[in-house]
Amino acid sequence: AGVATAAATGAIGAAAALLGFGSPGIAAGSVAASAMSAAWTTGVGTGLVSAAQSAGALFIKAVDDNPWLLLLLLLLEALQCRC
């Protein structure tokens, strides 16, 4: 269960980072920027945008601190998938 949780947490962080949520902030012109704009103008989903920003930033920091972590997460995901 612990390995699955770590893989899922890493996958969520990676997905958030790919969508434009990162440690320096939200990338201009990204899905993240559109989500932030919609959340700000409607007042709906601001908590989700904040959570995604945190997840993306933590993932990028973890990978920056230890590039092998990305390889490990991809390997764990492949083992879980059993495609």
Side-chain angles (χ1 to χ4, degrees), residues 2-66:
V3 171
T5 302
T9 302
I12 291 168
L18 286 172
L19 293 174
F21 295 99
S23 53
I26 292 177
S30 66
V31 172
S34 295
M36 186 178 80
S37 176
W40 181 257
T41 56
T42 64
V44 176
T46 54
L48 288 174
V49 170
S50 297
Q53 177 64 32
S54 295
L58 288 172
F59 176 79
I60 289 173
K61 172 143 178 42
V63 171
D64 281 348
D65 290 346
N66 186 0

